[in-house]
């Protein structure tokens, strides 16, 4: 059986590795000329680690875990709104959350494939439900076509031409890696008036930081670090110091989109959608890459065990729809800029925090308590 995977991101590479592990011949078509390190960091939560276990690389990711002690959500002055114990979360879910450079995960996944399995610099012009994929070099047929071509998926648009596409949330996001030789950055997320800044230490002595702020769609700044300092330079330590250490050339900025209405299905005949192409979501739960990885191993099991692409939709549509909605609700909580609305939100979060970390973990369980299909 032959599969063509459109897109060489996390979801596409995982799908190719999972299918290859089931005996499929795979071909990844990626329009970028190289798979150079793109992006900064990402979170692998316990549900994603269990999926990676099916590929034999889960323990190599676990070895990169650095979360320890208490973290949680803070105010811009540094006061805590609620606290979460990394150890308690790992005990509850059976695994840690691992924040790691995206490039490390790409390397692990690509190592599961043969060099000939990945074709770079190839732009897919169209993909059909009958398994035909057209590129500038001609047409190619496969038993399965996996469209992992991202939030702006052309395949999704052609498969469901009347369906409303992703909508801008009104928020832009920055991602960066900063040196942290003194390990000053405990894991935390700080909420201000319409602003968010996250700090997550990673295993190589750096910190993965992310931030969101309201902005018109498509806005950029000549100096993105200066723009971040304008928003966050007066916030609590170590945020200003981490921004000072960041390489301006390594700061990524992207607008945040979400899918207001879920797709009716993730498949049509031999063609399936995967990851952001199927269910674009806001980053607030840290589940974007995790859900793409879940998609990939579920798909490989469905099409190999006889359930086919319809079984893939049945297994994934309801779950990803709920997680999209959960993530969007959290995103909306971060957006108020009115001082009164922000104070009411913070009071609610403080109250939840006083009720104990168990409540926070129970709320996270809907996303994290997942097991790969047997």
């Amino acid at each position: 059986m032959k599969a063509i995977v459109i897109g060489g991101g996390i979801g596409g590479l995982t799908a190719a590795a999972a299918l290859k592990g089931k005996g499929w011949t795979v071909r990844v078509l990626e329009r970028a000329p190289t798979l150079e390190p793109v992006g900064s960091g990402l979170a692998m939560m316990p549900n994603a680690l269990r999926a990676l276990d099916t590929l034999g690389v889960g323990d190599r990711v676990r070895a990169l875990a650095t979360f320890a002690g208490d973290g949680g959500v803070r105010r811009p002055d540094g006061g805590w709104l609620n606290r979460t114990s990394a150890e308690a979360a790992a005990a509850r879910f059976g695994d840690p959350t691992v924040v790691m450079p995206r490039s490390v995960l790409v390397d692990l996944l690509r190592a599961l494939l043969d060099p000939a399995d990945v074709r770079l610099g190839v732009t897919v012009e169209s993909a059909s439900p009958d398994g035909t994929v057209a590129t500038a070099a001609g047409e190619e047929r496969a038993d399965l076509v996996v469209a992992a071509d991202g939030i702006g998926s052309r395949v999704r648009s052609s498969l469901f031409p009347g369906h409303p596409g992703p909508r801008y949330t009104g928020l832009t996001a920055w991602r960066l890696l900063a040196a942290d030789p003194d390990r000053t950055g405990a894991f935390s997320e700080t909420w201000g008036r319409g602003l968010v800044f996250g700090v997550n230490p990673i295993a190589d002595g750096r910190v993965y930081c992310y931030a969101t702020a309201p902005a018109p769609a498509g806005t950029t700044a000549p100096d993105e670090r200066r723009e971040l300092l304008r928003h966050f330079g007066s916030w609590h330590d170590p945020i200003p110091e981490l921004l000072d250490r960041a390489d301006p050339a390594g700061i990524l900025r992207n607008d945040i989109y979400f899918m207001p209405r879920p797709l009716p299905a993730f498949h049509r005949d031999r063609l399936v959608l995967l990851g952001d192409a199927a269910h674009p979501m806001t980053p607030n739960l840290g589940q974007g890459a995790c859900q793409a990885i879940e998609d990939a191993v579920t798909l490989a099991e469905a099409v190999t065990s006889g359930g086919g692409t319809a079984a893939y939709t049945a297994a994934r549509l309801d779950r990803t729809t709920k997680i999209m909605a959960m993530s969007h609700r959290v995103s909306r909580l971060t957006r108020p800029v009115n001082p009164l609305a922000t104070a009411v939100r913070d009071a609610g979060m403080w109250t939840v925090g006083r009720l104990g970390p168990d409540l926070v973990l129970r709320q996270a369980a809907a996303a994290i308590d997942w097991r790969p299909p047997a």
Side-chain angles (χ1 to χ4, degrees):
M1 302 292 283
K2 175 183 177 182
I4 295 175
V5 180
I6 304 170
I10 298 297
L13 292 174
T14 308
L19 289 164
K20 189 178 183 71
K22 297 285 188 181
W24 288 64
T25 297
V26 298
R27 184 89 68 233
V28 178
L29 305 181
E30 167 57 46
R31 66 181 177 181
T34 63
L35 287 183
E36 295 294 332
V38 177
S40 50
L42 48 76
M44 288 289 98
M45 293 190 175
N47 51 313
L49 293 175
R50 297 182 200 109
L52 292 173
D53 282 337
T54 69
L55 307 181
V57 296
D59 284 342
R60 296 180 66 182
V61 175
R62 287 182 184 89
L64 302 174
T66 59
F67 270 14
D70 289 346
V73 181
R74 310 178 76 171
R75 296 189 301 265
D77 63 6
W80 292 95
L81 293 172
N82 60 51
R83 304 297 295 270
T84 304
S85 163
E87 288 80 6
R92 166 63 177 81
F93 299 117
D95 263 316
T97 290
V98 181
V99 179
M100 61 190 298
R102 181 184 182 276
S103 59
V104 172
L105 184 57
V106 167
D107 289 344
L108 287 174
L109 294 171
R110 191 173 184 182
L112 299 175
L113 304 171
D114 295 329
D117 294 336
V118 182
R119 294 184 179 177
L120 302 172
V122 178
T123 298
V124 172
E125 298 173 352
S126 66
S128 303
D130 67 358
T132 302
V133 174
T135 67
E139 292 187 346
E140 191 173 359
R141 295 289 299 273
D143 301 287
L144 176 69
V145 177
V146 182
D149 53 341
I151 194 168
S153 172
R154 294 174 59 187
V155 177
R156 180 186 63 232
S157 298
S158 65
L159 204 58
F160 300 102
H163 195 88
R167 180 185 302 169
Y168 182 47
T169 61
L171 296 173
T172 193
W174 295 266
R175 291 167 292 152
L176 60 98
L177 293 169
D180 186 26
D182 301 323
R183 295 290 180 176
T184 57
F187 75 95
S188 66
E189 192 167 275
T190 304
W191 290 19
R193 293 171 54 185
L195 304 171
V196 171
F197 198 97
V199 175
N200 296 282
I202 57 179
D204 61 3
R206 293 182 294 172
V207 171
Y208 166 50
C209 302
Y210 57 86
T212 63
T219 302
T220 60
D223 186 334
E224 296 293 359
R225 184 172 67 173
R226 180 175 296 177
E227 183 72 1
L228 284 165
L229 285 167
R230 182 176 72 84
H231 285 299
F232 305 102
S234 63
W235 284 25
H236 65 81
D237 292 334
I239 291 174
E241 183 179 358
L242 292 172
L243 290 175
D244 284 338
R245 293 173 179 168
D247 177 6
I251 297 175
L252 303 178
R253 180 171 178 172
N254 302 95
D255 291 340
I256 300 175
Y257 287 80
F258 76 108
M259 183 74 86
R261 197 174 85 196
L263 294 172
F266 293 162
H267 79 285
R268 184 171 297 167
D269 298 333
R270 298 181 178 187
L271 177 60
V272 301
L273 301 172
L274 185 146
D276 284 344
H279 42 73
M281 62 185 68
T282 65
N284 303 84
L285 293 182
Q287 280 288 325
C290 297
Q291 291 304 304
I293 290 170
E294 283 189 21
D295 287 349
V297 300
T298 303
L299 172 65
E301 179 64 24
V303 297
T304 303
S305 64
T309 56
Y312 166 65
T313 285
R316 298 302 300 160
L317 182 57
D318 183 62
R319 172 166 168 78
T320 55
T321 296
K322 291 176 179 176
I323 293 176
M324 279 198 301
M326 289 168 57
S327 191
H328 190 230
R329 286 195 296 270
V330 177
S331 175
R332 292 178 65 182
L333 283 175
T334 70
R335 298 180 205 175
V337 296
N338 178 277
L340 178 59
T342 303
V344 170
R345 178 201 67 193
D346 290 355
M349 294 179 65
W350 185 89
T351 301
V352 169
R354 300 291 78 74
L355 295 175
D358 286 348
L359 179 59
V360 176
L361 296 180
R362 287 199 300 272
Q363 292 172 333
I368 299 175
D369 276 342
W370 175 89
R371 297 290 187 280

